[in-house]
Amino acid sequence: MTEQRQGQHSGQAWEALRRRAGIAAFLAGLFAALALFALLPGLPHVIDWGAVLVSLAAGGLARWACQSWMTRKAERKAERM
């Protein structure tokens, strides 16, 4: 009974950690892509809707990569135990 509760709490903690890391990765990807469009020489220094959409896609890709990496890391850790 207590093992089941501990497993449930650790699962909830894991999901919360994974969600927070996903949010941080999304924001990092979003701002990195916006900075690229705003500061890179040779590009027009205008943030238009295309740059915003590409930045959102970059943020989504960063979130997906981060959560995928965290899940893969947890699975490997579980296999070792």
Side-chain angles (χ1 to χ4, degrees), residues 6-81:
Q6 288 175 348
Q8 182 180 13
H9 290 303
S10 67
Q12 289 174 349
W14 166 249
E15 285 299 318
L17 177 66
R18 189 172 178 259
R19 185 174 32 254
R20 279 181 287 179
I23 291 169
F26 176 80
L27 291 175
L30 175 79
F31 289 127
L34 280 175
L36 177 85
F37 283 111
L39 303 174
L40 193 67
L43 290 176
H45 300 298
V46 176
I47 302 296
D48 59 351
W49 284 109
V52 171
L53 291 176
V54 169
S55 298
L56 288 171
L61 182 64
R63 179 181 182 269
W64 171 79
C66 175
Q67 289 186 337
S68 174
W69 176 75
M70 288 181 69
T71 302
R72 194 174 333 119
K73 184 178 171 184
E75 288 172 354
R76 287 182 187 163
K77 185 178 179 181
E79 287 176 2
R80 290 182 194 158
M81 291 182 167

Side-chain angles (χ1 to χ4, degrees), residues 1-10:
M1 183 80 163
T2 58
E3 294 93 19
Q4 192 175 33
R5 283 188 192 153
Q6 288 175 348
Q8 182 180 13
H9 290 303
S10 67

